């Protein structure tokens, strides 16, 4: 057992996908490249303006909370968090401290329930661009609806924290509350981490060590690496008998280290008080019920169902859960297979569908999505394609060609087979003709086979299949060849 036990909590900020900003009607448009276009007196904090709460943003936070098993209190309110920052034009941020929209939930990771302390709603700041001698500020982002989730310090490894962030990210997509693109800064992760000495005696309660915060982690990899680095750094300090300073550190991805930024502020430093310009929110049971009804099947449930319904293995199921669109396409394809198939036949066709989707189709897509406008394969054509392979009407080699054509032009597989002259040769006399030719060209191989070399047979099959351009029915080839070599 390691000498020191890490305790990890996460804070995750997510920009919500809404039409307009949190307290004004400016557009929430992450694609806007021109600076300071989506601004108005409200989000610029001009005197005399009043904020108006964006109902859509409130709904999206509640939806996230419900999906994460949170309580939604009947009353919620906004608070003013006072601090100066060049990209915060009002000199304060409207946030929630005392009565957040959601509290006390959990997210299940590998069978373990990681507790969620709260999820609240606030507004984003603008963004700064630092040049060599000066800095520029862009307020397009100022006032965007920003959701903040705070977990309890329930995690004990870098891998677990990474998994939490990944699962949360996936749920954002399922709920369609945020694009949560980490490269664009739409999802930003902060880590709280402390180390404590492992206590051997059970009755002695383990005390938490000094908490260090690592800010602005912009990829799952950065989350994992920063925690691993920090565990090592703190452990080395503790082993030397040194103290850990409570502070905020930043992650330098190029150097792979965390660097001290500032000593941590406490809530008192911000002089929070209830936002006087906004009324408290009253969330009725009916509202909660309505929002709950909009929650789709979530990743964990979907995973369990795919395994149960289609007999998929863990690995393939995860691909279909993480790639939501591919998973939905898979289910549509299966529903297009002929009805009332015997169990054995259905399960073999499901296996074929999974394999062709995960290897060949994903290869053709090259990172693209089956939801793209230019994706041409319909679920019923894909189902027909699978049935043709299952019934042995096309070999696996021909199947690849057919799928390639389907991907290119979108026609149904039978049409492609006819058009491209790819249909299988099942006529015995045609196959015999090819076999005779190959045998006469390879007298030595035939001799080898007769003197007991089994792989000579496979070699001949390969030659015959190649001569037929993959079109000869492999079973028939094998039968006739056996006869000829007797
Ligand atoms: Zn505005």
């Amino acid at each position: 057992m390691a000498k020191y036990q890490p305790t990890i909590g996460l804070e995750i900020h997510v920009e919500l996908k809404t039409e307009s900003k949190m307290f004004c009607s400016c557009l929430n448009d992450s694609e806007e490249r021109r600076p300071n276009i989506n601004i108005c007196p409200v989000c610029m904090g001009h005197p005399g303006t009043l904020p108006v709460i964006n109902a859509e943003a409130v709904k999206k936070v509640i939806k996230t909370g419900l999906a994460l098993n949170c309580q939604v209190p009947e009353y919620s309110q906004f608070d003013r968090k006072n601090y100066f920052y060049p990209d915060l034009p009002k000199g304060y941020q409207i946030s929630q401290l005392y009565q957040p929209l959601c509290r006390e939930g959990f997210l299940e990771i590998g069978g373990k329930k990681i507790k969620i302390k709260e999820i609240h709603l606030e507004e984003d700041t603008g963004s700064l661009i630092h040049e060599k001698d000066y800095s520029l500020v862009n307020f397009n982002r100022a006032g965007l609806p920003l959701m903040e989730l705070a977990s309890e310090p329930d995690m004990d490894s870098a891998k677990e924290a990474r998994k939490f962030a990944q699962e949360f990210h996936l749920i954002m997509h399922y709920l369609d509350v945020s694009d949560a693109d980490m490269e664009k800064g739409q999802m930003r992760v902060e880590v709280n981490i402390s180390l404590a000495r492992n206590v051997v005696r059970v009755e002695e309660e383990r005390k938490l060590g000094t908490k260090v915060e690592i800010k602005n982690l912009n990829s799952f990899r950065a989350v994992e690496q920063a925690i691993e680095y920090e565990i090592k750094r703190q452990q080395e300090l503790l082993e030397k008998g040194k103290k850990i300073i409570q502070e905020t550190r930043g992650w330098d991805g190029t150097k792979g280290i965390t660097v001290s930024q500032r000593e941590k502020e406490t809530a008192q430093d911000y002089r929070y008080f209830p936002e006087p310009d906004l009324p408290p929110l009253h969330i009725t049971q009916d509202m909660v019920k309505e929002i709950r009804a909009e929650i789709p099947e979530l990743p964990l449930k979907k995973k369990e169902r795919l395994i149960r319904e289609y007999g998929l293995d863990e690995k393939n199921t995860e691909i279909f859960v993480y790639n939501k669109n591919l998973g939905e396409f898979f289910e549509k394809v299966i529903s297009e297979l002929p009805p009332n198939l015997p169990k054995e036949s259905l399960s073999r066709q499901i296996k074929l569908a999974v394999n062709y989707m995960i290897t060949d189709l994903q290869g053709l897509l090259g990172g693209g999505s089956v939801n793209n406008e230019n994706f041409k394969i319909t679920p019923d054509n894909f189902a027909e394609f699978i049935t043709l392979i299952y019934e042995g009407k096309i070999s696996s080699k021909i199947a690849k060609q057919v799928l390639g054509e389907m991907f290119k032009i979108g026609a149904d597989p039978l049409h492609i087979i006819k058009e491209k002259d790819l249909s299988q040769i099942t006529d015995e006399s045609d196959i015999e003709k090819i076999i005779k030719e190959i045998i006469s060209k390879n007298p030595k191989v035939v001799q080898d086979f007769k003197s007991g070399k089994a792989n000579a047979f496979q070699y001949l099959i390969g030659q015959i299949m190649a001569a037929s351009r993959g079109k000869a029915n492999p079973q028939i080839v094998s039968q006739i060849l056996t006869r000829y070599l007797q």
Side-chain angles (χ1 to χ4, degrees):
M1 203 199 272
K3 205 167 156 197
Y4 293 96
Q5 176 67 38
T7 299
I8 302 158
L10 295 181
E11 275 172 29
I12 305 178
H13 282 94
V14 170
E15 274 175 11
L16 296 174
K17 196 153 89 179
T18 52
E19 281 292 313
S20 55
K21 286 189 180 180
M22 188 58 227
F23 300 112
C24 61
S25 56
C26 288
L27 282 185
N28 174 0
D29 181 7
S30 64
E31 299 301 316
E32 180 57 69
R33 289 290 153 264
R34 295 165 301 169
N36 300 308
I37 287 290
N38 295 322
I39 57 170
C40 75
V42 178
C43 54
M44 289 301 94
H46 289 195
T49 57
L50 283 173
V52 178
I53 299 170
N54 183 332
E56 186 60 24
V58 172
K59 231 178 104 176
K60 286 192 159 150
V61 172
I62 295 176
K63 199 174 185 180
T64 307
L66 292 173
L68 295 173
N69 315 290
C70 288
Q71 308 291 326
V72 179
E74 199 180 343
Y75 288 95
S76 177
Q77 117 199 336
F78 287 96
D79 301 296
R80 198 175 275 197
K81 181 182 184 182
N82 297 281
Y83 66 103
F84 171 80
Y85 214 66
D87 54 11
L88 185 70
K90 293 201 292 253
Y92 60 86
Q93 180 189 29
I94 301 179
S95 180
Q96 296 191 300
L97 179 72
Y98 302 108
Q99 297 193 61
L101 279 164
C102 311
R103 23 166 66 123
E104 291 167 21
F106 65 86
L107 174 57
E108 203 174 316
I109 305 289
K112 175 175 162 188
K113 284 176 183 168
I114 311 284
K115 289 195 283 302
I116 289 160
K117 186 166 166 259
E118 62 162 73
I119 307 174
H120 71 243
L121 184 54
E122 57 188 32
E123 54 180 337
D124 209 348
T125 60
S127 43
L128 292 169
I129 300 138
H130 301 290
E131 296 293 338
K132 193 163 168 275
D133 303 318
Y134 57 91
S135 289
L136 297 165
V137 60
N138 179 0
F139 287 115
N140 284 345
R141 206 180 70 177
L144 289 190
L146 194 65
M147 173 167 75
E148 180 178 336
L149 168 143
S151 85
E152 293 288 358
D154 264 1
M155 288 160 270
D156 48 29
S157 73
K159 283 219 156 43
E160 196 170 53
R162 177 188 181 141
K163 190 85 186 138
F164 183 98
Q166 279 173 321
E167 284 294 315
F168 177 66
H169 182 261
L170 189 62
I171 290 172
M172 295 298 92
H173 277 233
Y174 271 66
L175 297 174
D176 198 29
V177 298
S178 171
D179 290 332
D181 187 327
M182 292 184 84
E183 274 180 26
K184 288 185 187 157
Q186 291 168 345
M187 172 165 157
R188 319 192 276 268
V189 181
E190 285 164 37
V191 168
N192 290 308
I193 175 168
S194 67
L195 254 60
R197 191 181 276 275
N198 261 330
V199 174
V200 187
R201 288 201 348 255
V202 188
E203 65 268 28
E204 201 171 333
E205 213 176 290
R206 184 158 55 85
K207 276 193 201 137
L208 291 180
T210 308
K211 197 165 77 176
V212 170
E213 190 176 291
I214 317 167
K215 267 189 138 35
N216 288 326
L217 297 160
N218 292 331
S219 71
F220 299 124
R221 202 165 148 249
V223 171
E224 189 177 342
Q225 289 180 333
I227 294 173
E228 267 165 9
Y229 174 82
E230 198 54 28
I231 290 174
K232 213 168 141 253
R233 185 187 73 89
Q234 293 188 21
Q235 197 168 315
E236 281 169 13
L237 284 173
L238 290 170
E239 272 165 7
K240 284 182 200 151
K242 290 188 178 161
K243 272 212 161 91
I244 306 290
I245 306 162
Q246 182 172 346
E247 62 179 348
T248 299
R249 299 177 72 86
W251 171 242
D252 183 335
T254 346
K255 291 190 185 141
I257 57 169
T258 62
V259 247
S260 179
Q261 286 183 331
R262 58 188 152 91
E263 294 198 5
K264 177 83 182 131
E265 295 88 349
T266 60
Q268 286 80 33
D269 297 330
Y270 292 114
R271 290 177 295 105
Y272 275 97
F273 57 81
E275 171 57 53
D277 289 342
L278 291 170
L281 287 163
H282 181 208
I283 297 137
T284 64
Q285 282 307 307
D286 284 349
M287 273 170 76
V288 172
K289 215 171 136 190
E290 213 172 277
I291 296 168
R292 198 187 289 279
E294 287 174 15
I295 297 175
E297 182 183 38
L298 294 169
L300 187 63
K301 285 265 174 300
K302 184 169 185 174
K303 192 173 157 188
E304 289 166 358
R305 184 178 59 79
L306 291 180
I307 292 174
R308 194 176 60 235
E309 251 174 58
Y310 303 103
L312 304 185
D313 63 21
E314 183 102 8
K315 203 174 131 225
N316 290 333
T317 311
E318 283 203 344
I319 293 173
F320 287 145
V321 171
Y322 276 93
N323 191 335
K324 182 168 168 259
N325 297 335
L326 191 70
E328 280 165 4
F329 184 70
F330 163 76
E331 292 202 72
K332 281 185 203 150
V333 167
I334 301 306
S335 74
E336 293 289 345
L337 287 172
N340 306 321
L341 287 172
K343 213 175 153 210
E344 175 60 21
S345 153
L346 178 64
S347 89
R348 282 186 56 200
Q349 294 198 53
I350 289 173
K351 276 209 179 73
L352 281 169
V354 171
N355 290 341
Y356 275 92
M357 248 173 239
I358 288 177
T359 53
D360 300 85
L361 182 61
Q362 286 217 107
L364 289 165
L365 283 163
S369 165
V370 291
N371 271 38
N372 282 354
E373 269 171 48
N374 50 9
F375 180 71
K376 298 194 178 77
I377 305 177
T378 62
D380 64 317
N381 280 348
F382 201 94
E384 193 185 334
F385 166 72
I386 293 301
T387 302
L388 287 168
I389 303 167
Y390 172 71
E391 289 173 347
K393 293 196 173 128
I394 48 175
S395 65
S396 57
K397 195 175 165 211
I398 298 291
K400 282 186 204 301
Q401 282 185 55
V402 173
L403 189 63
E405 278 302 304
M406 286 167 73
F407 185 76
K408 233 190 283 171
I409 60 171
D412 75 86
L414 276 176
H415 176 87
I416 290 167
I417 289 164
K418 208 171 146 211
E419 193 90 329
K420 295 259 156 189
D421 187 26
L422 295 170
S423 59
Q424 204 166 52
I425 307 169
T426 49
D427 186 295
E428 298 207 2
S429 61
D430 289 343
I431 293 177
E432 267 188 78
K433 221 187 283 169
I434 304 170
I435 291 180
K436 275 187 200 157
E437 194 190 313
I438 297 298
I439 284 181
S440 70
K441 273 187 190 163
N442 295 281
K444 188 165 177 307
V445 185
V446 172
Q447 210 44 54
D448 284 350
F449 176 76
K450 287 184 175 162
S451 60
K453 280 189 187 164
N455 56 359
F457 187 78
Q458 277 316 312
Y459 176 80
L460 290 171
I461 295 261
Q463 294 294 306
I464 296 158
M465 290 307 292
S468 76
R469 292 190 294 126
K471 283 158 46 178
N473 179 305
Q475 278 91 31
I476 302 177
V477 170
S478 173
Q479 278 164 22
I480 302 178
L481 184 63
T482 311
R483 217 163 61 217
Y484 265 79
L485 293 178
Q486 266 166 5

